[in-house]
Amino acid sequence: MKTKLITLFASTIITGTVLASPLTFDFKDPKGVNNAVFKLDAPLEAINGSASGITGTVLFDPANPAATKGKIVVAADSLTVPNSMMKEHMHGGQWMDVAAHKEITFEAKELKNVKTAGDKTTADAHGTLTIKGVAKEVTAPITLTYLKDKLGMRVNKPDLKGDLLVIRANFVIKRSDYGINPKAPEDKVSDTIDLTLSIAGA
């Protein structure tokens, strides 16, 4: 009887672990430091900018990082560059047309080549990137860092309980693929856009 009880207890624990729900992480950052950085490096001119209007949710299971899914949203009107006139042009209809296309989204559907060591998981995230109303399937290398009980430390409130999920990614897209002023001369505005994402969700 004792052996049966131990077996039943162990089975319950294992089943509970397998069936445990993934954690939901909210990427609307109260500190306002989450950001996406973009760079277009043409022969005649380099354009560097960022976006800070980031929201979204990601489902992450620390016991099964490969099952991660979610959607990150960037407010298009939060895209900015140092030159105010260039920013105005960027927001206009020929470029990003932020009045008509208010969001840039990436919906992760599947992780491939998943490797986990300690609190870090590296993978190739496959999903749909939508910019200016154009949706393309892309695969981006990402790093997920799961930080248990670190929310309070991040927001300087030691009594606040919660976990953090930090996502970092760096990948390249083509401006012309998304209809972002495809006729612009490439010696001045690169067709290649380098994107870097560094965000924390709670």
Side-chain angles (χ1 to χ4, degrees):
M1 176 64 74
K2 185 177 180 181
T3 302
K4 288 183 179 180
L5 286 174
I6 292 173
T7 302
L8 179 62
F9 180 68
S11 298
T12 302
I13 292 175
I14 293 170
T15 303
T17 301
V18 171
L19 298 178
S21 298
L23 304 173
T24 300
F25 288 87
D26 183 357
F27 282 82
K28 186 175 182 180
D29 181 18
K31 293 188 73 174
V33 298
N34 277 349
N35 69 91
V37 176
F38 59 91
K39 181 177 181 179
L40 297 83
D41 194 1
L44 296 179
E45 192 167 73
I47 301 171
N48 296 276
S50 63
S52 57
I54 297 175
T55 55
T57 57
V58 171
L59 298 178
F60 177 81
D61 183 351
N64 185 21
T68 300
K69 292 183 180 180
K71 185 176 182 180
I72 299 298
V73 180
V74 179
D77 62 4
S78 75
L79 292 166
T80 188
V81 290
N83 184 294
S84 59
M85 184 175 291
M86 189 179 289
K87 176 184 175 181
E88 185 178 341
H89 289 164
M90 181 177 63
H91 284 199
Q94 199 170 21
W95 291 87
M96 294 301 297
D97 195 7
V98 302
H101 304 287
K102 299 183 182 301
E103 294 181 343
I104 299 166
T105 65
F106 177 70
E107 184 172 0
K109 299 176 180 178
E110 182 184 12
L111 295 191
K112 300 178 180 179
N113 303 318
V114 180
K115 297 178 182 178
T116 300
D119 57 11
K120 286 189 177 182
T121 296
T122 59
D124 294 322
H126 178 76
T128 304
L129 178 65
T130 303
I131 302 175
K132 205 179 176 182
V134 179
K136 297 278 187 182
E137 296 299 300
V138 301
T139 299
I142 65 168
T143 300
L144 305 169
T145 306
Y146 172 62
L147 301 173
K148 187 172 176 57
D149 298 327
K150 295 296 185 181
L151 175 59
M153 183 180 296
R154 182 171 190 266
V155 297
N156 297 319
K157 295 181 179 179
D159 294 333
L160 184 63
K161 302 299 180 184
D163 303 341
L164 291 175
L165 181 67
V166 180
I167 300 177
R168 294 179 174 89
N170 185 267
F171 59 106
V172 174
I173 63 171
K174 294 289 186 181
R175 175 171 53 84
S176 55
D177 285 348
Y178 294 90
I180 305 170
N181 198 0
K183 295 182 179 180
E186 291 187 28
D187 58 346
K188 195 171 183 180
V189 185
S190 173
D191 189 39
T192 299
I193 306 176
D194 291 295
L195 299 175
T196 302
L197 189 71
S198 181
I199 56 177

